[in-house]
Amino acid sequence: MARKKQQIAVLGAGLMGHGIALTLARAGQYVAITDPVEETRNTVVARMRQSMQALGDDEFVIAKALKMIEIFETTGVAVQKADVVFEAAPEKLALKQQIFSEVEAHAPDHCVLASNTSVMPITQIMANLRLKNRAVGTHWWNPPHMIPLVEVVSTEWTDPEVAKAMFDLLEDAGKTPVMVKKDVPGFIGNRLQHALWREAISLVENDICDAEAVDTVIKSSFGRRLSVLGPLENADLVGTDLTLDIHENVLNDLESRKGPSPYLKKLVEDGRLGMKSGEGFRTWTDAEAQDVRDRVARHLQRLDKILID
Ligand SMILES: NC(=O)c1ccc[n+]([C@@H]2O[C@H](COP(=O)([O-])OP(=O)(O)OC[C@H]3O[C@@H](n4cnc5c(N)ncnc54)[C@H](O)[C@@H]3O)[C@@H](O)[C@H]2O)c1
C-alpha cells in the first residue's frame, strides 16, 4: 500500500494526531483528520503550520502539505474512504475500543487499523474487531514529526502483509519504522526507557546521588553516543566477554523490584508532580521548565541535520 497514494484518517487532532497527520501529508498522502472538540479542530491547521515551521519548511512546502489535509467533525465521515486509520485519541481503553467499533462500521474492509497507544496492549484495544487481521499498533514518539522512530506492533492475529505494508508506508513518509513481533507492554522503546528510569530513581531513593547527578551522568556520558550507537552495537564494540564480566559484577546490585518505586509514589502523593507543579525530583521555575522544552526542541532540530551527514 505504501508505494502509492493512500487515503489516511487520523482520529484525534491533539499533540500526536496533528504531528502524525502533517508527517503523512508532507509525504504526499491524503489525510482526513477528526476530533470531537471544536476548538481543537479550529486550531489544528495553525498548530500543523507551526510544527512544519519548526521543521524548517518554507511556505511552499507548508501550503502543499496543508492542501492534502481535510478536517472532519465525525469519525464516521473521516474514515469512509480510508485505506489506513491512525487512532491518536486519549489513553483510555474503553474509549479506544469504542472508536474502533465505530471505525469498523464506516471504514472499508481493506482499511488497516492502527492505534497509537503509549503502553496499552493492542490486543486489548482491538479485541472486539470483526476483522482482527488488519489491526496493528503504531507507536509514534513525541513530537511525532521530529522523532524518527515508529514501532509497528503485531498482535497474534495481525496479517504479516498488513504489518509490512504499514512499515513501508511509514518508511516512505521518512520515518524509521521497527517491527515489534509480540504485543508486549511498553513495546521496545518504553521497556528500555523505563528500565533506565527505574535504576535512575533507585539511585536517588538509596541516596547514592541526587537527581541532578543522575541526569548529568547520562547527558555527559553514554547519552552523548546513544543516537549513533545502540547498546547491543556497543556490547559488540567492547566485546561480549567484557559485557559478561561487567554483568557478573553489577547486575546483582541493580534495582529489580516489580512495581513502581515507593519514592515515586510519595512524590505523587505529595503533589510533587514535576514541572507542572514546580517540583518533582527537582525544583523548577516556569522559566527553567520552558528552557528545558526549548533546549529539547533545538537539540532535535540540530540533531536531525547532523545525523543526515
Ligand atoms: N504525548 C505523548 O508523548 C505520546 C507519545 C506516544 C503515544 N501517545 C499516545 O497517543 C495518544 C494521543 O495522545 P496525545 O498526547 O496526542 O493526547 P492529546 O490529549 O493531545 O490528544 C488527544 C485528542 O483526541 C481527541 N479525542 C477525544 N475523544 C476522541 C474520539 N472519540 N475520537 C477522536 N478523537 C478524540 C481529544 O479531543 C484530543 O484532541 C494516546 O493514546 C497517548 O498515550 C502519546
Side-chain angles (χ1 to χ4, degrees), residues 10-20 34-41 47 73-75 86-92 95-96 98-99 102 115-120 125 138-144 187 190:
V10 178
L11 314 179
L15 194 63
M16 299 305 290
H18 98 282
I20 294 170
T34 183
D35 198 291
V37 178
E38 188 179 0
E39 166 74 3
T40 307
R41 291 197 302 276
R47 286 182 285 121
E73 274 185 36
T74 64
T75 296
F86 291 94
E87 169 273 315
E91 189 74 348
K92 294 193 173 80
L95 174 70
K96 288 185 189 290
Q98 178 251 310
I99 288 173
E102 197 180 345
S115 173
N116 184 50
T117 173
S118 297
V119 287
M120 286 187 318
I125 295 171
T138 49
H139 183 229
W140 298 61
W141 289 66
N142 182 34
F187 314 128
N190 270 325

Side-chain angles (χ1 to χ4, degrees), residues 43 47 60 104 218 297:
T43 57
R47 286 182 285 121
F60 177 77
E104 266 212 324
I218 294 169

